[in-house]
Amino acid sequence: MKRLILLLAIVFLAAGLRAAAVLPVGEGKFTYKDYPPFADRPVDVHYYIPASGDVRRMPIVFVFEGADRGYTYLLKAWKQEAEKHKFMVFIPHFDLERFPLPDYQEIGVMDDKDHTIRPAEKRTPALVDKIFEYVRQSSGSERKEYMIYGHSAGGQFVQRFMLFHDSPYVEKAVIGSPGWYTFPDASQDFPYGVRNIPYVTPETIRKYLAKPIILQLATGDTIRESYLRKTPEAEAQGCNRYERGNQFYQYLHRIAAEHNWPCNWQKIEEQGIGHHSTGMGRRAVPVMLGDSLRALFIGNSYTQYNRLVRQVQALAASTGHKLSVKLVEHGGWTLKKHAANPETLDAIREGTWDFVILQDQSKAPAREKEWVRENVYKPAHSLDSLRRLYNPKGKTVFYMTWGHDIDTYAEMQQRLAESYLEMTAQLNAWCAPVGIAWKRIRTENPSITLYNDDHSHPSRQGSYLVANVFCSVFFQKPYTGTYYAGLPEEEALYLQRIAQEIVFSNPSLWNIQPTVQPEEVTRRFYPEPEQQYSTPTLGKPLEEGLASLFEINRYLKDLADKHPGKVTLSDIGKTPQGRDIPVLYFGTPNEKKKIRVWIQAGLHGNEPAGPEATCMLVDYLLNTPEGAELLKKISLALVPVANMDGYAMQIRKSGSGYDLNRDQSKLADPVTLLLKKAYKEWNPEIALDIHEFNPFRKEFELLRGTKVATAADVLFLPSGHLNIPAGIRTLSNGLFREEAEKALEANGYHSGFYFTPSVRNDSLYAMKDAKSPQSSSTFQGLTNAVSLFIEIRGIGLGRACFARRAECGFLVSRSLLETAALHSKEVRSGIRKAAKEACSGKSDISVTFQSTRTELPVTFIDLTKNERFTETLLTFDALQLKAELVRKRPKAYILPDTCRMQAEKLRALGIEVEEIGKPFTATVEKYMVTGYKKATKEWEKIYPVTVSTRMIKEKKSFPAGCFIIRLSQKNANLAVTLLEPESVNGFVNFEVFHTELGKELPIYRKN
Ligand SMILES: [Zn+2]
């Protein structure tokens, strides 16, 4: 008996010890080595378990590293998602030494040494299943399954994991942007196909296709950087990750169709992003967790035709969203009838609807105002009240239908838009602007028939457009859906695009993102100008929002066609999404007597006042005598919308996911290359870049404890970079800025200096200009052009104050041209002097600098009290820089023959680079890296590097094919700023040159 008690005690003790091995919640790590085939290769598993929530039921997600095997930043990003959405995340760290490429990306299918095929239990995925079993045991989870996600090399791992391994546990797999694929193709050898893998049978492939796998691609992942595999077999899959993914996906569907196998693969195309692991991971979360939204549609045949509600659901599913739907419809019914219908009211009372969609009879909201108020607004109001009662967290969405009266289409459409938008505003609902999207397609693409034969109900195309407007409104995120409702792909994608552009370009108009600025403030401080404009946005009804690119192009083309002798409308090339970037040339760059000016706008896609301002300028130059006078003295290159892909969706970044104003020297985006090439060819003497800024910054709340915004209409951002010759800086910040300021003032507009707010020790500071001035303002100045850069008060205002904003941009542009014409001699001599100074090699180079502490009076608007006030802020002034590290200017820089890529980037920026055909020897200064710091935070898809160096003089032999950059050239200042290794705008900083601590840089100075 005693022995039994003892034995029991031991058992309990053991159980107790076991229970003690529970994984603590929060962030942690454990080492797993219990699976015999991998016992010699222990794996550290980093994880995060949310502190609150039910651990037993939380989903479990395994995330796999990229080729860098960096788990730190992955964990940091995934941890936030895990906490927010309550799931556990595990990141096994497969270090490079123990798990080289064949064991990781290729999951250990083959033994790397003897090329034998490994049995299932020795392949890496088997180990992951075992880690999952351990996690279940030690976390208290009752989940029977787990999900897997990998991006890039991690995506390759997941792709092959699912092909070669039959896990009993994986419930869902998301493959993010792999560089290349193993096709289930028996005519190619592994790793590109499966010919030499005997256990992959047709049955394996059938199963593979049936698995719930999601392929996540990025439309911006089109850059062929050095990590991309470039073997002939990989190249045969496509020339970049986006193309390869699409080919792979099409291949799977093709073999599924050939064999009549079910294929459960889905493809999601993420927009506005490139090869970005954490960004893509974040977007994969809702797809994996499958949070479902619920929508109740109330309407008539317009909602019922072509099974619209099912279409919305299928489309949502193809973009990774779950949607539950219910429909209450009766042919020809009005909202008034619905408001008295027990079935409709019961449906609303079901509750937990995220969206209740209301659609009235197609003609009712277009009738006279008084009637509409009584018979449309009232029942809408009562339905909305019931929705609020039973679904307080939900939203009422008005389904704005389309005009269909053949004779009076425009008026009918206008009335529908007014009524639906008024209801939307009154009830603080959202609007699904189908009628506006409809109108746009009628104008832009009349070959698409949106109406049915009765010219009232929607055709298949019409209904598909409606479905897309709803998906855009519900999920508010750009997408490419793979559900086409039986339409040809090209047509379906076009309809998808138009619906999204309409919704995303005017979210404040549809009340999806209400404007931050109260109407009283707008009325009191920001009235619209008296002048009427017929430019693309201002020339159309307010209800239709911002001009589309089509409308801007049409406007410019009409003007150009009327004045063939004065202007040429051309393009500087195509964006990654296939849009031509328009440019207008007034004159040529070779007219010696005319001063050359460059103006660009819309470098950030969500700053639409700039493009509108340039349209005003074009109209002024071509249609007024004053404009004609200016054109006698000036030749102008004008790029109205520099970031076309961004403008289409009203997003800041480019189609490839870059901030183009932060891409001035690394030139990572193809659009930057096109812009620089055109700039270089025009070789301007004066340049202007027009932006908009966000006046509503949270930091300003520190001032009064209430919502406060910057007041100025325009902020100037001159560059204080010390490598820009002082003469150029004085012309830019003095003469040209001051004249522009006067022009604004004369029209009642306020201006000031640009700054970004910064909070230190609970005090608000202004960072005037920018210490690391990575913007056109600096770039233009370094090319010895007089440089103006303005920010108009606009972001966050949507379509509000639009004439005012655009007019500000126009006034500055016009003033710049007038000042240029009036002071052309002074400008020319200033530039000549600066160029001479740069070429002489006498001035030193400022490599790094410190800003000066000053004060800056700033005018603000108190949004609550509706009053203006001025506050003086402590300021770090980058317009008054003090040089820190100063170097003598060399005669030339030499780059070795291995630096062709860097040499090409310099050339693209307009710097003359000579290639030396034969070997030579020279005494040079070389840089040894004595300090090295890589940023831990990703910035523009790189981790910027800060170095310190020691210079050593030595005699060095260079082989044939080296590059020489002589500094007796116009763009010498740009060259030194890019090539000095410590420079904040430089090639080393932006990883155009890769280096390490203790290494010699491939940049040499020749004195
Ligand atoms: Zn901007």
Side-chain angles (χ1 to χ4, degrees), residues 604 607 652 661 691-692 789 791 795:
H604 291 138
E607 299 170 8
R652 178 178 174 90
N661 200 33
H691 287 251
E692 291 195 87
F789 187 108
E791 299 266 6
I795 295 180

Side-chain angles (χ1 to χ4, degrees), residues 22 49 408 781 795 827 947:
V22 162
I49 302 176
T408 59
I795 295 180
V827 171
V947 295

Side-chain angles (χ1 to χ4, degrees), residues 157 210 525 542 559 683 793 919:
F157 180 76
F525 294 108
L542 189 71
L559 278 174
N683 189 18
R793 187 178 192 276

